[in-house]
Amino acid sequence: MGVSTASPEKGVRVVTVDFPPVNALPVHGWYALADSVRRAGRDPEVRCVVLAAEGRGFNAGVDIKELQRDAGHEALIGANRGCHEAFGAVYECEVPVVAAVHGFCLGGGIGLVGNADAVVASDDAVFGLPELDRGALGAATHLARLVPQHLMRTLYYTSRTVTAAELRAHGSVWRVVPRDGLRAAALGLAREVAAKDGRLIRLAKAAINGIDPVDVHRSYRYEQGFTFEANLAGTAGRVRDTFGKEA
């Protein structure tokens, strides 16, 4: 359980998340993920990172129960900072990051995938931001990198999900494959990237980030400010307390 790394072939590092039962990450999990991705990117032998997960789904976001157990704001601050670190680690990774998504990709999972360089998904994958149903705000920055603006707003306001096939139609998912072929498909794309010159692929990643039209760090932190405001107002806690009690 936790975050593990493996090097299945030359130039490729796989970072795998495993927090049963649903990969809802506690605060320390987000930091562990950030650290693993950053270390992988700094390794001169690595030319591509695959971000994957074990279990029922890719990522269910923040561990809401950890927030509920905290009578103060420390867990919330930790989750905010931890997510910012993990999302930033994916975006700033010195080499391209391929997200291999299966099952559900929700909340913080959107932050990871939206900041990845490429996405390969299984045909059972669904993507969404249930933030308004969880007493939170955030990651619209990253959902907007996966779908057009008006669809992003509709998904955000309704907490609905979209399928991997729908995202592929929008051009944000590279391939949709059967669940049992996901790891092979992600490694295949990573292998193709890793075949490039190591120095050149790092320069390419830096150059593409440099021309990005949206500052993902600033815009996400801006969103997080409203999350904290909702908590101070008591709104977030009231909504969050309904988690797990839905009929």
Side-chain angles (χ1 to χ4, degrees), residues 183-244:
R183 187 62 63 97
L187 286 175
L189 178 56
R191 186 181 307 119
E192 189 173 347
V193 173
K196 306 300 182 184
D197 179 84
R199 180 177 292 274
L200 199 58
I201 200 69
R202 290 167 184 270
L203 289 173
K205 175 66 181 277
I208 290 175
N209 278 7
I211 62 171
D212 207 320
V214 175
D215 182 339
V216 297
H217 304 303
R218 183 188 61 78
S219 59
Y220 179 54
R221 289 298 276 174
Y222 180 82
E223 289 186 76
Q224 286 186 322
F226 287 94
T227 299
F228 202 71
E229 180 178 326
N231 273 269
L232 292 177
T235 305
R238 174 174 51 78
V239 174
R240 189 164 54 239
D241 285 345
T242 66
F243 178 71

Side-chain angles (χ1 to χ4, degrees), residues 66-205:
E66 183 178 43
L67 300 184
Q68 291 174 326
R69 290 191 296 268
D70 183 7
H73 298 300
E74 289 305 309
L76 174 65
I77 293 171
N80 277 2
R81 290 179 175 174
C83 284
H84 188 262
E85 277 295 307
F87 301 170
V90 172
Y91 185 78
E92 295 167 349
C93 185
E94 296 175 31
V95 298
V97 176
V98 175
V101 182
H102 72 280
F104 44 79
C105 177
L106 305 172
I110 295 293
L112 299 171
V113 170
N115 270 359
D117 294 277
V119 184
V120 177
S122 60
D123 52 15
D124 67 344
V126 293
F127 303 74
L129 287 178
E131 311 305 273
L132 295 185
D133 291 340
R134 300 293 183 258
L137 298 166
T141 292
H142 311 94
L143 185 58
R145 297 167 69 82
L146 299 172
V147 298
Q149 179 70 210
H150 282 81
L151 179 55
M152 178 275 286
R153 289 170 179 256
T154 303
L155 293 173
Y156 196 88
Y157 297 148
T158 63
S159 300
R160 287 178 177 267
T161 59
V162 289
T163 66
E166 289 174 298
L167 287 191
R168 191 174 193 283
H170 288 296
S172 50
V173 167
W174 173 250
R175 285 187 64 193
V176 179
V177 299
R179 177 92 166 246
D180 59 6
L182 177 61
R183 187 62 63 97
L187 286 175
L189 178 56
R191 186 181 307 119
E192 189 173 347
V193 173
K196 306 300 182 184
D197 179 84
R199 180 177 292 274
L200 199 58
I201 200 69
R202 290 167 184 270
L203 289 173
K205 175 66 181 277

